[in-house]
Amino acid sequence: MERDKMNEHAQTMLEAKDVVFRYSETGSNAIDGLSMQVKKGEYVAVLGANGCGKSTLAKHFNAILLPASGTVWIEEIPTTDEDRLMEMRQKVGMVFQNPDNQIVATVVEEDVAFALENLGVPRDEMRCRVDDAMQMAGIYKYREKAPHKLSGGQKQRVAIAGVIAMRPDCLVLDEATAMLDPIGREKVMHTVHKLNRDYGITVVQITHYMEEAATADRVVVMSAGRIVMEGTPRQVFSQVEAVKALHLDVPQSAELCHALTQAGLPMPDDVIRPEECAAAIYKTLTGKEPPRDV
Ligand SMILES: Nc1ncnc2c1ncn2[C@@H]1O[C@H](COP(=O)(O)OP(=O)(O)OP(=O)(O)O)[C@@H](O)[C@H]1O
Ligand SMILES: [Mg+2]
């Protein structure tokens, strides 16, 4: 063990300490002295404007990228430990933005089994894991379908099932809902929350949608390769001006979340779509059913 942190590591899923990363010698730092921890079982949302380093950070969390300086640990394993690369990749599953790039097979259940087959998992165990994963991701009924016939949200849940079949401890989702329609997004969010709540899977969700971040245990806001704000959704979104100054994509959502706080409403667990936030605020403030356009 490199550090005297046994107890702390027992609770920590991911840790980045003083991480610096740049893509080329001449370029600026994509990650610029960033430190953060993710506890086991936690649901952390990462917000930040385009190009602030979110995807670069995500790739450090499953050893796709290694820091130029500083350290990233997956549980107690420093990501520079090449001998344990497979173990690290199994512990932290990644889901990316474009479902089409993540689907490789022509039948859903074969796609979900793909990584396990490559690992040489025995047939019976594979069957069991694939069925479990499809159930957990809510796509069991599509198991014999062709992935290209599914909607974006369904495909993304196939990708999630493929990752879950590896029995990971942690999911890192890099804007996994960005290309989906509102219903697809809601289903994916529901699935990810269920995996966190019912199966204890740690979640790091990178998103541009503040209303998604509002459903996390903790929100981390990045800017220029660093963490600039951190706290519960309520703590972060109540600082509307500060959030707006970071030029996030959806300032109107910050206003909604602010309004939710002002209205004394709990931060939404089950309210995911901005339309629902707006309607809930209207109803609380006025006591009336919202008109159509709220
Ligand atoms: N492969 C690469 N080669 C060179 N520079 C890169 C590469 N990938 C990202 N960058 C640069 O590193 C910085 C951080 O990029 P990153 O993709 O991590 O940001 P991001 O927060 O994920 O952005 P987005 O919201 O657009 O997905 C940006 O300045 C980006 O231009
Ligand atoms: Mg990105």
Side-chain angles (χ1 to χ4, degrees):
M1 175 119 248
E2 287 197 2
R3 302 182 307 166
D4 185 21
K5 285 190 74 178
M6 282 297 281
N7 289 334
E8 216 172 299
H9 272 312
Q11 301 303 319
T12 306
M13 183 68 235
L14 300 170
E15 177 169 1
K17 182 126 177 56
D18 304 327
V19 171
V20 174
F21 179 88
R22 75 178 76 84
Y23 283 95
S24 68
E25 280 308 313
T26 49
S28 54
N29 290 343
I31 301 289
D32 192 25
L34 180 150
S35 297
M36 73 179 277
Q37 274 192 356
V38 178
K39 299 274 172 222
K40 285 191 178 161
E42 212 181 3
Y43 193 127
V44 177
V46 180
L47 280 172
N50 286 321
C52 73
K54 302 180 299 296
S55 296
T56 307
L57 177 66
K59 288 174 188 154
H60 278 78
F61 282 149
N62 104 335
I64 297 173
L65 295 176
L66 298 176
S69 67
T71 312
V72 175
W73 287 269
I74 295 171
E75 292 181 337
E76 82 293 354
I77 316 169
T79 53
T80 44
D81 188 344
E82 285 172 34
D83 295 338
R84 298 177 75 180
L85 193 57
M86 288 294 280
E87 194 186 338
M88 291 190 272
R89 297 264 163 87
Q90 182 275 320
K91 282 181 190 290
V92 182
M94 301 278 290
V95 182
F96 298 99
Q97 190 176 101
N98 189 339
D100 291 325
N101 294 346
Q102 299 171 80
I103 288 180
V104 289
T106 51
V107 179
V108 165
E109 61 186 354
E110 284 171 15
D111 193 84
V112 175
F114 185 76
L116 296 182
E117 257 173 46
N118 283 350
L119 283 179
V121 172
R123 201 93 217 144
D124 287 350
E125 187 185 340
M126 188 159 78
R127 182 73 264 164
C128 171
R129 283 212 214 177
V130 167
D131 285 347
D132 282 353
M134 290 190 299
Q135 297 277 13
M136 287 161 78
I139 52 146
Y140 190 76
K141 62 178 176 232
Y142 310 125
R143 65 191 177 281
E144 286 169 359
K145 290 214 185 307
H148 73 266
K149 294 210 169 131
L150 302 180
S151 71
Q154 289 161 348
K155 281 188 223 172
Q156 203 60 313
R157 285 186 287 140
V158 172
I160 291 173
V163 171
I164 291 299
M166 303 284 286
R167 305 248 162 109
D169 301 299
C170 180
L171 273 184
V172 175
L173 302 120
D174 188 355
E175 301 200 37
T177 61
M179 297 178 73
L180 309 181
D181 60 26
I183 292 173
R185 279 180 55 206
E186 195 180 311
K187 294 253 169 151
V188 168
M189 285 297 293
H190 178 81
T191 300
V192 174
H193 271 284
K194 192 177 77 176
L195 293 171
N196 175 255
R197 194 181 51 234
D198 298 349
Y199 300 94
I201 294 176
T202 308
V203 174
V204 177
Q205 185 185 11
I206 293 166
T207 179
H208 274 277
Y209 295 111
M210 292 203 199
E211 62 278 10
E212 289 183 0
T215 66
D217 297 327
R218 185 154 63 94
V219 178
V220 167
V221 185
M222 285 182 70
S223 179
R226 290 169 164 270
I227 291 174
V228 290
M229 287 169 79
E230 190 173 354
T232 61
R234 194 183 283 264
Q235 286 164 342
V236 169
F237 294 132
S238 56
Q239 301 175 55
V240 176
E241 290 310 317
V243 172
K244 272 186 179 170
L246 294 166
H247 302 294
L248 295 172
D249 267 4
V250 276
Q252 73 278 18
S253 297
E255 282 162 3
L256 291 178
C257 291
H258 181 60
L260 271 181
T261 314
Q262 295 295 78
L265 284 172
M267 270 300 163
D269 248 333
D270 48 354
V271 179
I272 288 165
R273 288 177 299 174
E275 313 86 82
E276 289 173 3
C277 290
I281 292 163
Y282 186 92
K283 208 167 158 182
T284 304
L285 295 179
T286 64
K288 295 184 218 152
E289 283 303 317
R292 258 168 173 278
D293 57 348
V294 170

